Amino acid sequence: MLIVFEGIDGSGKETQVGMCRDYLKGKSGAAEVVLHKYPTGNFRELHKYLEGKSELDAKSQFLLFLADIANEQKDIRSELMQGKIVILDRYVFSTIAYQGEHLGTKVCMDLISKLDFLKPDLAILLDLPARKAMERKQKQKSLDRFESDAVFLESVRNRYLKLAKEKFNSNWVVLNADREEKTIHADVVREISEIDKRD
């Protein structure tokens, strides 16, 4: 099973990913659970850009974020073939939602559709207004260049909602992230259970 968690910065992905991972590991007779988080450390230029230490145009951002994800596709495919449950903290959908601002959502969607990226069994979008997401992030750390722009984050949120509405390359579910962590987690468990039933 391949599960993806998506959402703007500050939507609670890290918390829900951790809770989901613990839940799946604790299930009786559970398969091994593997987590991949993007961006990885393989493309340092991406982190330098996010930290405001370098500049990248929109096309370079898109291609580098996509290359980072593509670089692990072989490993993920192998893990799935071994019967492992794979959780992804961000995926190609993030690349569309964030870099689609300048390149165009349809251009990004069309390109990714033509490439052989694995299709998740479930994409969970943790939906939260940008202002609330920024308030959360400000309590945790100094904000990177994406996290500090409320107008940009709200447009990212809208692109995520468009991807979910169109069921782009996955079975999507949108969860209200402005609730108690345990309540959101219960919804995540329910959605995973629905996938299990279909299998």
Side-chain angles (χ1 to χ4, degrees):
M1 183 186 296
L2 181 59
I3 304 168
V4 173
F5 282 84
E6 291 283 7
I8 62 174
D9 301 281
S11 60
K13 280 188 296 73
E14 187 173 350
T15 297
Q16 290 304 320
V17 165
M19 294 174 76
C20 179
R21 189 182 189 184
D22 291 344
Y23 161 73
L24 291 170
K25 282 184 175 181
K27 286 180 68 176
S28 177
E32 183 178 344
V33 181
V34 181
L35 171 64
H36 293 263
K37 180 179 173 64
Y38 299 105
T40 69
N42 295 325
F43 291 76
R44 283 301 306 160
E45 196 61 33
L46 290 175
H47 291 278
K48 286 172 64 178
Y49 170 75
L50 291 172
E51 293 162 5
K53 297 176 181 177
S54 69
E55 294 299 325
L56 291 170
D57 65 21
K59 188 179 294 183
S60 298
Q61 292 173 47
F62 179 78
L63 293 173
L64 282 173
F65 278 112
L66 212 56
D68 191 26
I69 295 167
N71 195 45
E72 293 195 331
Q73 288 283 285
K74 184 178 178 181
D75 292 339
I76 295 171
R77 197 180 299 274
S78 175
E79 289 159 359
L80 292 170
M81 289 181 68
Q82 294 171 46
K84 297 177 182 179
I85 298 173
V86 181
I87 301 174
L88 305 183
D89 183 343
R90 296 203 180 284
Y91 194 43
V92 293
F93 311 124
S94 283
T95 310
I96 298 170
Y98 280 81
Q99 279 64 58
E101 174 83 357
H102 300 290
L103 295 180
T105 305
K106 188 176 187 308
V107 170
C108 295
M109 290 170 69
D110 288 347
L111 181 56
I112 287 174
S113 293
K114 293 174 183 176
L115 301 173
D116 190 28
F117 284 99
L118 292 163
K119 293 187 178 183
D121 297 291
L122 178 63
I124 299 170
L125 174 58
L126 300 173
D127 182 47
L128 188 70
R131 288 291 179 189
K132 290 194 174 182
M134 285 180 65
E135 289 171 7
R136 288 183 181 180
K137 276 294 181 182
Q138 285 170 337
K139 293 176 182 177
Q140 300 170 5
K141 65 181 185 73
S142 57
L143 304 181
D144 69 25
R145 65 168 72 214
F146 287 158
E147 296 165 347
S148 60
D149 188 337
V151 174
F152 173 69
L153 276 184
E154 193 63 30
S155 69
V156 171
R157 177 195 182 197
N158 289 331
R159 279 188 289 280
Y160 269 132
L161 290 169
K162 175 181 172 63
L163 292 173
K165 183 178 180 180
E166 296 186 8
K167 301 289 183 184
F168 179 74
N169 277 25
S170 184
N171 173 45
W172 284 81
V173 60
V174 180
L175 299 181
N176 176 8
D178 191 18
R179 298 178 294 161
E180 292 290 329
E181 293 172 357
K182 290 182 179 179
T183 303
I184 300 169
H185 175 63
D187 285 347
V188 170
V189 169
R190 185 190 68 244
E191 294 298 335
I192 291 173
S193 299
E194 288 299 317
I195 297 294
D196 279 336
K197 289 177 185 176
R198 293 175 205 154
D199 295 341

